[in-house]
Amino acid sequence: MSTALELVFEKTRAENRAALIAYIPAGFPNSLGCERAITALVDAGVDAIEIGYPYSDPVMDGPTIQEAAEISLKGGTDAADVFSALKVASATGVAAVVMTYWNPIEKYGVNEFAQSIADNGGSGVITPDLTIEESGRWLEAVSNCGINPIYVVAPSTSDARLAKVTSKTGGFVYAASVMGVTGARTSVSVDASALVARVKATTSLPVAVGLGVSTREQAKEVATYADAVIVGSAFIKLLLNAKSEQEGLESISALAKELAKGVREGR
Amino acid sequence: MTIELGDVLGHFGQYGGRFVPEALIGALDELEAAHNAAKTDPIFQAELAELHRTYTGRPSIITEAKRFAEHAGGARILLKREDLNHTGSHKINNVLGQALLTKKMGKKRIIAETGAGQHGVASATAASLMGLECVVYMGEEDTRRQALNVARMKLLGAEVVPVTTGSRTLKDAINEAMRDWVTNVATTHYMLGTVAGPHPFPTMVRDFHKIIGEESREQVLALTGTLPDAVLACVGGGSNAIGIFHAFIPDLGVRLIGLEAGGDGIETGRHAATISGGSAGVLHGTRTYVLQDENGQTIESHSISAGLDYPGVGPEHAYLHDIGRAEYRAVNDDAAMAAFSLLCRTEGIIPAIETAHALAGALVIGKELGPNATLLINLSGRGDKDVQTAADYFGIPL
Ligand SMILES: Cc1ncc(COP(=O)(O)O)c(C=O)c1O
């Protein structure tokens, strides 16, 4: 059986466009605020939601997501909050996945975590610091639960290693557009298109580009060569800078609508 | 007993390995290859040995601490004097090795994290000696506790970046160094300062420190005609401890005892005793013991000693603990400071506060083992950097 995520890519392929995936940490700005943000993003036209599991030591994240994670953790966010945000997202009808560093999964229980993802309508999990070499138990668990194991690859990943990683990946391959941490950037590097091409040489899976996308123009550019565009820090920045919750929701909705146009303009 | 000293993927039993972003895999592979080549490269080994002889001041001597021993049940106490190394601690062993590897890999910039500042000073020293650019990440809290070492690093030409995220201590400095590395990995070597982190760091850093145990095993045999009954060292990340333990691992009659920072006491929750008071998990790229809550979030550690104030520990220690080859105990702040003072007043040696945890352990273990026992202690560093902290603690006005 296909996951909701796989169905999203069938649909966007049929429409000859890229998908738009929005990232929001669970419990940010607070648990109700996160649910409202999810609804606003879905209403504005995103194809999938990626729920972040805030972690105390986020080495892949830049200052924006670090700040959001800190706010969320101070508010007491735990695994139950992550699963309830996931449920809210999947209940809207879009595909929903979780992105988490590995230790919270290990602490929760590898099989139990995968099962809870499935039970709450999740399609898969992005694990940015789990290497293929350490993935044995995880791949067994996701396969038993019928969810997608989504791995991140980087411009520095060799061709041989790309083949090894993508052969274990499900749903889509997450291509980190630059060497660096998360955060909005003024331009998406040329590395990204080259990386996507190298990934596509190893797999027929969709390839999503993340790290640094924040505008309609960038989304359009990435959509010319990638199957999905992932946007996180740009939404979070708007929420952090908003003077009221209402203003924050309106601004992420406006940005999501622009990005949704961008992913349809690439081809 | 079969003991696994690191498989090809850097595992020690269920510990170790690599839990890192894919962006770092290439650099870790490159480092592993450079290290493996260096191990059997006579030119590299000769270069490092010559540096240790003419720059570090190796071999470091053994000092018998007779007056201190009177307070340790009369057991014979031998101090391996890593405090006499250039820059004042064992940390120089590792940085000279890694700096040579950096040059072999053709990289021109090194980054390092530091807690007490000893590894930062050592890194800045090696960078100066070898003409490399050096950036040191240090928790803002630690830059205050160790202001003297911040000045030393700057004098040596390094840039010191105060880290203002999280607990503003060593763990957050490592996070920030990893972020720098992910971004600048093509030009930069991350000179990790202890036996933690992703493979090959735990194995490589241990290999650069194992000279401590190799030298002292010979020295103790020459001095006493027999092996010591126990080898003691303080454990932060675990580099000085694994350095002195390693040569003794096959000597099953020699007890290996690591002393962790008990802070205010394990029962208070304010401590840095990762093995004694933590649980298995993943932190900073390796599976090991970690101080963590029920959701797997890292818990901030606490210790009077900045160099032991870390919520993780090297994976080889986690393994040696689980198989029972080494023992780990916690020493509280007050016990460490009492031993610090005692060594100052009985032997004329001011130890690092980190090291004082091992000395406090010796006072207890010496009494347990009795007057016929010989204890070898890694005197990992000198206490100049800690004068401010110790003066505050003992109420000496400055
Ligand atoms: C003198 C001294 N001893 C011990 C340590 C703790 O580190 P490790 O456990 O890696 O030896 C430090 C760390 O800064 C130190 O400066």
Side-chain angles (χ1 to χ4, degrees), chain B residues 283-303:
Chain B
L283 178 64
H284 291 145
T286 190
R287 180 183 281 111
T288 184
Y289 278 81
V290 179
L291 300 181
Q292 58 183 330
D293 69 14
E294 67 283 1
N295 288 299
Q297 308 286 353
T298 311
I299 295 174
E300 287 175 20
S301 55
H302 292 275
S303 169

Side-chain angles (χ1 to χ4, degrees), chain B residues 89-91 116 118 194 234-240 307-308 352 354-355 380-381:
Chain B
S89 80
H90 68 291
K91 300 280 180 188
Q118 287 305 96
T194 190
C234 66
V235 178
S239 68
N240 89 89
L308 303 183
E354 289 79 16
T355 313
S380 58

Side-chain angles (χ1 to χ4, degrees), chain A residues 128-141:
Chain A
D129 64 345
L130 180 66
T131 53
I132 286 297
E133 289 78 4
E134 303 292 343
S135 293
R137 282 194 301 155
W138 176 242
L139 288 171
E140 210 177 297

Side-chain angles (χ1 to χ4, degrees), chain B residues 137-395:
Chain B
Y137 291 94
M138 187 170 190
E140 195 183 42
E141 171 77 18
D142 291 335
T143 61
R144 268 195 295 275
R145 284 196 279 193
Q146 305 286 342
L148 185 66
N149 269 344
V150 174
R152 287 169 81 196
M153 288 182 263
K154 289 183 177 167
L155 288 171
L156 290 161
E159 183 190 345
V160 180
V161 180
V163 174
T164 57
T165 51
S167 59
R168 302 169 186 226
T169 59
L170 183 55
K171 127 183 138 61
D172 308 284
I174 294 178
N175 290 341
E176 213 48 44
M178 303 243 301
R179 291 184 188 114
D180 180 317
W181 204 30
V182 167
T183 309
N184 299 302
V185 67
T187 59
T188 299
H189 172 61
Y190 180 16
M191 195 174 266
L192 188 68
T194 190
V195 286
H199 177 62
F201 284 107
T203 313
M204 178 185 69
V205 176
R206 173 251 275 162
D207 286 348
F208 288 134
H209 278 305
K210 69 183 164 61
I211 192 168
I212 305 170
E214 289 166 355
E215 282 177 8
S216 50
R217 192 174 180 282
E218 293 304 309
Q219 288 166 318
V220 173
L221 277 174
L223 185 69
T224 70
T226 172
L227 291 171
D229 297 282
V231 179
L232 280 67
C234 66
V235 178
S239 68
N240 89 89
I242 212 76
I244 198 161
F245 287 176
H246 200 260
F248 293 97
I249 288 176
D251 303 316
L252 297 183
V254 178
R255 283 173 66 179
L256 306 176
I257 306 173
L259 289 311
E260 301 191 297
D264 292 342
I266 291 190
E267 66 290 352
T268 67
R270 290 177 52 84
H271 65 87
T274 313
I275 294 178
S276 311
S279 55
V282 168
L283 178 64
H284 291 145
T286 190
R287 180 183 281 111
T288 184
Y289 278 81
V290 179
L291 300 181
Q292 58 183 330
D293 69 14
E294 67 283 1
N295 288 299
Q297 308 286 353
T298 311
I299 295 174
E300 287 175 20
S301 55
H302 292 275
S303 169
I304 191 169
S305 145
L308 303 183
D309 203 350
Y310 180 56
V313 66
E316 192 167 1
H317 286 293
Y319 172 68
L320 292 175
H321 167 267
D322 281 13
I323 63 167
R325 179 63 192 95
E327 316 156 44
Y328 298 84
R329 303 183 183 192
V331 169
N332 296 357
D333 287 352
D334 289 340
M337 292 312 288
F340 173 95
S341 173
L342 188 64
L343 193 76
C344 292
R345 287 161 180 261
T346 55
E347 301 291 342
I349 297 170
I350 302 178
I353 296 177
E354 289 79 16
T355 313
H357 290 71
L359 295 164
L363 295 176
V364 174
I365 291 154
K367 285 175 196 134
E368 288 173 15
L369 296 184
N372 295 325
T374 299
L375 271 52
L376 171 66
I377 302 169
N378 194 356
L379 202 79
S380 58
R382 66 177 187 230
D384 308 40
K385 69 183 175 61
D386 294 317
V387 167
Q388 172 95 50
T389 307
D392 284 351
Y393 183 88
F394 293 113

